[in-house]
């Protein structure tokens, strides 16, 4: 039967896939996101580190998130390797490789903006078996992000299910299915990251000029999770984070760009590293970085044509 708006996470997943291990994994990660949301809200931030106000975990909030996620992966009993942007090497989660999964995550993206009380998030990608290198983002079986803003949401996509799906954390702690996105249309909204790169990337400067001349609405918080989520929720826009000789690519392919690329493309959007979908880039090392743009088809065509003279999408 069809997944309905209003379903609980478990009802949704049970209708969405026959893979009981994947259902259990996405449920365990939902619990982890609920816990992280609570810790982000209760951590008091003095100086750089945010420490939990209960005093029992004197860890910065992103390390708290890191530990909660590894616990969830172990508890799922279906994950072979877990890998965190905080500790970029494979950690054995003691689950099976055969029929199991490996999960790469950014425990708290934008932790440098927790102290300004901006929205931060968790990103994770799920690959089959025991490989997180020598694979591409298109090999993912699922990807998701947790978004810790005024409300807490869990945005996920599954390989075998069309669309990207948003769940809202209700007061009593249940996740409720609130929105599906299957199209990303046109609309003048842009999130231009890393403007430092325009100093020696004149084509990026040209692209930014275009957005200014066309009076695009600027929506950029410096947190990739909310900045990319807005394209899925508003079903329009373009997010860029471009590199240049003096401003090297910063965003991680495995932990950030591939999972978010999966969510954007399942939502009907497009992604690009300038030449191709970020989902077609082979992950050669856990620490690979890349420039990226996410958006509607026409925005990505403009991005590729402006930066590289032509677009594979035309
Ligand atoms: P810039 C946050 O640290 C992050 O990894 C992403 O969430 C965000 O999009 C990017 O860096 C911000 O980079 O160069 O705009 O400060």
């Amino acid at each position: 039967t069809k997944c309905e708006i209003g379903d609980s996470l478990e009802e949704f997943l049970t209708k969405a896939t026959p893979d009981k291990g994947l259902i259990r994994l996405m449920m365990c990660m939902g619990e982890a996101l609920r816990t992280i949301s609570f810790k982000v809200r209760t951590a008091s931030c003095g100086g750089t580190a945010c420490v939990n106000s209960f005093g029992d975990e004197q860890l910065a909030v992103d390390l708290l998130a890191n530990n909660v996620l590894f616990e969830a992966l172990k508890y799922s009993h279906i994950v072979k390797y877990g890998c965190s942007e905080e500790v970029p090497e494979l950690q054995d989660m003691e689950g099976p490789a055969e029929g199991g999964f490996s999960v790469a995550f950014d425990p708290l993206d934008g932790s440098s903006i927790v102290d300004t009380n901006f929205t931060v998030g968790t990103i994770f990608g799920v690959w089959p078996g025991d490989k997180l290198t020598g694979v591409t983002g298109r090999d993912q079986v699922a990807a998701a992000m947790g978004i810790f803003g005024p409300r807490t949401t869990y945005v996920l996509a599954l390989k075998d299910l069309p669309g990207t799906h948003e769940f809202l954390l209700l007061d009593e702690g249940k996740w409720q299915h609130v929105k599906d996105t299957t199209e990303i249309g046109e609309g003048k909204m842009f999130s231009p990251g890393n403007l430092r790169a325009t100093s020696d990337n004149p084509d990026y400067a040209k692209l930014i000029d275009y957005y200014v001349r066309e009076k695009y609405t600027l929506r950029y918080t410096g947190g990739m999770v909310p900045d990319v989520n807005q394209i899925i929720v508003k079903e329009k826009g373009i997010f860029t984070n471009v590199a240049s000789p003096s401003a090297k690519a910063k965003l991680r392919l495995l932990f950030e760009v591939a999972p978010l690329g999966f969510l954007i493309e399942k939502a009907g959007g497009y992604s690009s590293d300038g030449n191709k979908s970020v989902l077609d880039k082979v992950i050669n090392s856990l620490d690979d970085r890349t420039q990226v743009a996410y958006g509607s088809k026409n925005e990505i065509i403009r991005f590729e044509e402006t930066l590289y003279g032509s677009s594979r999408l035309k």
Side-chain angles (χ1 to χ4, degrees), residues 109-110 112 193-194 196 220 222-224 239 241 250-251 256:
D109 184 77
S112 60
N194 194 19
R196 299 179 292 281
Y220 189 75
M224 189 174 191
F239 170 94
N241 196 302
K250 163 181 187 182
L251 300 178
E256 297 168 313

Side-chain angles (χ1 to χ4, degrees), residues 233-245:
V233 172
K234 299 290 189 194
E235 304 182 0
K236 66 179 180 182
I238 173 97
F239 170 94
T240 60
N241 196 302
V242 169
S244 76

Side-chain angles (χ1 to χ4, degrees), residues 14-132:
T14 307
K15 294 180 195 173
T17 172
D19 186 330
K20 299 253 178 294
L22 184 59
I23 293 173
R24 196 161 67 249
L25 173 57
M26 298 307 277
M27 294 293 290
C28 286
M29 294 301 262
E31 278 312 294
L33 295 178
R34 204 158 70 89
T35 304
I36 295 168
S37 173
F38 175 71
K39 291 190 188 273
V40 163
R41 295 181 202 302
T42 51
S44 59
C45 289
T48 48
C50 293
V51 293
N52 186 293
S53 54
F54 304 139
D56 55 345
E57 293 144 327
Q58 300 306 319
L59 286 174
V61 68
D62 46 1
L63 289 186
L64 284 178
N66 193 62
N67 295 347
V68 166
L69 289 160
F70 275 122
E71 287 310 309
L73 296 180
K74 279 195 200 105
Y75 184 76
S76 75
H77 295 296
I78 196 68
V79 171
K80 174 62 187 162
Y81 291 122
C83 192
S84 165
E85 186 182 279
E86 294 286 325
V87 188
E89 67 240 3
L90 298 185
Q91 311 287 329
D92 191 339
M93 299 290 104
E94 291 142 30
E98 197 51 42
F101 307 102
S102 287
V103 178
F105 59 86
D106 179 356
L108 204 65
D109 184 77
S111 44
S112 60
I113 53 175
V114 173
D115 56 355
T116 58
N117 201 19
F118 275 21
T119 292
V120 290
T122 295
I123 305 168
F124 69 88
V126 181
W127 277 265
D130 57 0
K131 297 239 172 330
L132 288 176

Side-chain angles (χ1 to χ4, degrees), residues 149-256:
R151 299 178 302 144
T152 296
T153 55
Y154 182 8
V155 174
L156 61 88
L158 303 177
K159 186 182 182 84
D160 298 330
L161 184 77
T164 291
H165 313 281
E166 183 183 35
F167 293 79
L168 174 65
L169 184 61
L170 303 178
D171 286 351
E172 65 271 19
K174 285 182 78 69
W175 293 106
Q176 186 178 60
H177 180 208
V178 291
K179 180 176 167 60
D180 297 324
T181 304
T182 55
E183 291 285 321
I184 304 290
E186 300 314 319
K188 294 186 173 183
M189 182 177 77
F190 76 130
S191 293
N194 194 19
L195 293 184
R196 299 179 292 281
T198 55
S199 58
D200 53 355
N201 184 336
D203 293 328
Y204 190 31
K206 229 163 60 184
L207 186 67
I208 301 294
D209 272 353
Y210 173 85
Y211 297 141
V212 172
R213 249 191 350 267
E214 293 294 317
K215 301 181 179 49
Y216 272 51
T217 299
L218 173 61
R219 290 283 183 274
Y220 189 75
T221 73
M224 189 174 191
V225 166
D227 291 345
V228 172
N229 181 56
Q230 79 179 333
I231 296 175
I232 294 170
V233 172
K234 299 290 189 194
E235 304 182 0
K236 66 179 180 182
I238 173 97
F239 170 94
T240 60
N241 196 302
V242 169
S244 76
S246 69
K248 296 270 168 282
K250 163 181 187 182
L251 300 178
R252 271 53 182 292
L253 177 56
L254 174 62
F255 301 105
E256 297 168 313

